[in-house]
Amino acid sequence: MTPPLATTRAVGRLARPAAVCNRASRSVAKARLGDNLKARAGVSVKEATLYEQVGGAASVEAAVSLFYEKVYADERVAKWFDGVSKEGQLAKMEGFLTCVLKGHVFDGDLTQPHARLVVDGMSDYDFDVIAELFIATLEDLGVQDPVKGGIVGLVASTRAAVLGKTEV
């Protein structure tokens, strides 16, 4: 299990699931109840969520803060964030990561908010640079495989939606 992400400073925000995060359905809730009963009986249950494995809200907050420090400082992609509220970006990413790392389905639209950027030339190259910075952030914070791979996979799965491409 990967140790919780190191926090170097308090950022002052609470990571909250995005409003469009589809929380557990009744069938999932029933499965969790079953898991709780199994745990009380000493029967093994499934692994902790990625969210729990990285250390929860404080760790997500620290990772997002460090990630955006890298993004805003990187001349290859900083232009895409000109005039964008840094606090707003951090809050959106914290909500998204909290949602998906907890194993919920993100029902939000990732295409529309990025559409202007795509029209202005944002491409796979830019997505790759941002992914590179995200991976570097996880490594800087000591997140190891398989947890790191699981998180990177979730973020990588957004490429088509962010870039307005039809998945094949």
Side-chain angles (χ1 to χ4, degrees):
M1 177 153 101
T2 298
L5 302 177
T7 56
T8 56
R9 62 188 167 93
V11 180
R13 290 176 317 277
L14 294 175
R16 291 181 196 93
V20 291
C21 185
N22 184 356
R23 293 198 172 95
S25 66
R26 285 182 183 232
S27 61
V28 172
K30 285 181 185 177
R32 288 186 180 149
L33 176 60
D35 288 347
N36 289 338
L37 294 173
K38 288 177 188 175
R40 287 184 192 161
V43 176
S44 176
V45 294
K46 59 188 168 195
E47 234 178 85
T49 65
L50 289 170
Y51 182 79
E52 294 162 333
Q53 291 180 57
V54 299
S59 295
V60 169
E61 193 174 304
V64 169
S65 181
L66 178 59
F67 168 65
Y68 276 105
E69 285 177 24
K70 291 176 182 293
V71 168
Y72 278 83
D74 192 301
E75 62 186 35
R76 298 172 295 173
V77 292
K79 65 185 177 193
W80 301 118
F81 297 88
D82 285 345
V84 174
S85 162
K86 188 172 183 181
E87 285 299 311
Q89 276 302 116
L90 279 105
K92 289 175 192 175
M93 183 62 119
E94 286 173 12
F96 169 76
L97 285 175
T98 297
C99 177
V100 298
L101 294 179
K102 284 184 173 183
H104 302 304
V105 175
F106 181 76
D107 288 336
D109 180 6
L110 294 173
T111 302
Q112 189 278 328
H114 297 96
R116 180 191 58 78
L117 302 174
V118 173
V119 168
D120 289 345
M122 188 172 76
S123 66
D124 283 298
Y125 169 80
D126 301 296
F127 191 95
D128 291 342
V129 170
I130 290 171
E132 169 193 316
L133 297 172
F134 189 77
I135 292 166
T137 299
L138 295 176
E139 290 170 350
D140 287 351
L141 294 172
V143 179
Q144 300 170 1
D145 281 326
V147 174
K148 180 177 76 174
I151 296 169
V152 170
L154 288 169
V155 173
S157 72
T158 67
R159 177 186 298 267
V162 167
L163 296 176
K165 297 180 177 186
T166 304
E167 292 188 79
V168 181

